[in-house]
Amino acid sequence: MSKSLENKLALVTGSSRGIGAAVAARLARNGASVIVNYASSADRADAVVREIRSAGGEAEAIGADLAGMDGVRTLIASIDTAFGGRFGGQLDILVNNAGTVDYGPFLEQPDDSYDKHFNVNVRAPIALAKEAGKRMAKAGWGRIINVGSAFGEAAPLGGVTLYIATKFALHGFTRGLSRELGPLGITVNGVQPGPIDTDLSPNEGTDAHATMVKLTSVGRFGKVDEIAAAVAYLASQEASFTNGENLTVDGGWNA
Ligand SMILES: NC(=O)c1ccc[n+]([C@@H]2O[C@H](COP(=O)([O-])OP(=O)(O)OC[C@H]3O[C@@H](n4cnc5c(N)ncnc54)[C@H](OP(=O)(O)O)[C@@H]3O)[C@@H](O)[C@H]2O)c1
């Protein structure tokens, strides 16, 4: 197993379950010390940390609700204190993974849904990337990876319009920021999953699930490890010439 991320601190937002949990485990396996962030699932975050530690890796759980700027600030403060302050405030890898969606017709969305979608899916990644970028610039090395969606470049279904708007925004942010941070030794890329088997996606057996399977060409939902592998690549030394890319991993959904 490659330990190429040894002595690197990684922060993975929304890593108490789903894709984020798989990303945290994968980066830890590659040697990174990982901050596992969650909003409310403290038990599940602790389980992710235990699993990483039992596999010989290093992880700590930090609760911070990224819907509010207070939560963003809490998470930023944890960069300084994580692992006994051993990293001296340096952050090497930021994975903006936490995301939220309210399914349903746009015309029935409550007004507070706008802020909910944009604060978690766009504002928090932007605020964390700014903080991470400053710290990474000092070291002259860094990796920022934004977990977007196949809905960040196409809209093959209705009922997720606000979510689509946020993922297009994140896609654009990734491209713009890569221009600014590339000269500083920091790459900024996105991973755009298609339908992945997690709490966020409709359960097997429903009509929505069957429709989404049909939109892929491989005829199935993806697995969290298939997204974690793409994130691990973009976080690696080997990805040093990949910048401003939004890597779509969607079983052919957007082909
Ligand atoms: N699953 C898919 O089919 C799919 C497809 C395309 C893109 N994506 C994207 O992939 C990312 C992860 O999705 P997932 O399917 O793994 O979701 P998930 O299983 O629902 O997990 C969501 C994670 O995000 C955290 N989270 C949610 N709201 C948060 C907040 N306000 N502050 C901090 N953390 C918060 C959750 O923490 P708690 O456990 O504490 O609630 C949890 O760890 C999202 O950005 C999503 O848009 C998913």
Side-chain angles (χ1 to χ4, degrees):
M1 188 66 62
S2 157
K3 292 278 187 193
S4 57
L5 300 182
E6 224 151 13
N7 298 318
K8 300 227 179 286
L9 179 62
L11 166 56
V12 184
T13 68
S15 44
S16 45
R17 53 197 167 93
I19 291 169
V23 168
R26 178 70 187 246
L27 296 182
R29 268 211 321 276
N30 291 355
S33 303
V34 183
I35 298 173
V36 171
N37 159 248
Y38 64 94
S40 56
S41 312
D43 289 355
R44 295 184 75 164
D46 286 344
V48 172
V49 167
R50 273 199 306 278
E51 204 169 309
I52 288 173
R53 288 180 181 164
S54 69
E58 197 170 45
E60 273 183 18
I62 300 288
D65 185 344
L66 302 179
M69 283 304 289
D70 283 353
V72 171
R73 283 187 277 269
T74 297
L75 198 49
I76 288 169
S78 80
I79 300 167
D80 294 317
T81 55
F83 306 102
R86 200 174 85 228
F87 289 89
Q90 182 56 47
L91 180 67
D92 304 291
I93 299 162
L94 168 65
V95 183
N96 277 315
N97 167 78
T100 192
V101 58
D102 283 337
Y103 296 104
F106 172 69
L107 297 182
E108 293 170 17
Q109 290 291 317
D111 289 352
D112 61 7
S113 189
Y114 317 153
D115 278 352
K116 182 185 166 194
H117 277 87
F118 277 91
N119 289 353
V120 177
N121 297 0
V122 185
R123 185 178 68 176
I126 287 174
L128 290 169
K130 182 175 168 192
E131 185 65 30
K134 287 183 190 168
R135 293 166 188 252
M136 291 169 181
K138 280 191 197 151
W141 193 95
R143 299 279 189 262
I144 297 175
I145 298 149
N146 295 321
V147 179
S149 170
F151 282 128
E153 59 180 29
L157 286 172
V160 282
T161 297
L162 288 176
Y163 180 76
I164 288 172
T166 64
K167 294 302 186 179
F168 264 78
L170 192 63
H171 179 125
F173 175 64
T174 300
R175 294 174 73 151
L177 189 63
S178 72
R179 283 270 166 208
E180 297 203 37
L181 301 194
L184 307 178
I186 305 161
T187 65
V188 185
N189 293 292
V191 172
Q192 303 190 140
I196 308 298
D197 199 6
T198 70
D199 297 341
L200 189 115
S201 285
N203 294 327
E204 207 154 350
T206 64
D207 286 349
H209 187 279
T211 302
M212 289 168 91
V213 166
K214 274 200 203 122
L215 282 166
T216 71
S217 57
V218 299
R220 65 172 175 86
F221 266 47
K223 301 179 176 67
V224 291
D225 287 340
E226 291 174 309
I227 303 305
V231 174
Y233 165 67
L234 292 171
S236 71
Q237 306 286 356
E238 289 86 343
S240 47
F241 200 54
T242 303
N243 196 23
E245 172 64 13
N246 282 283
L247 177 58
T248 300
V249 184
D250 67 350
W253 170 292
N254 278 355

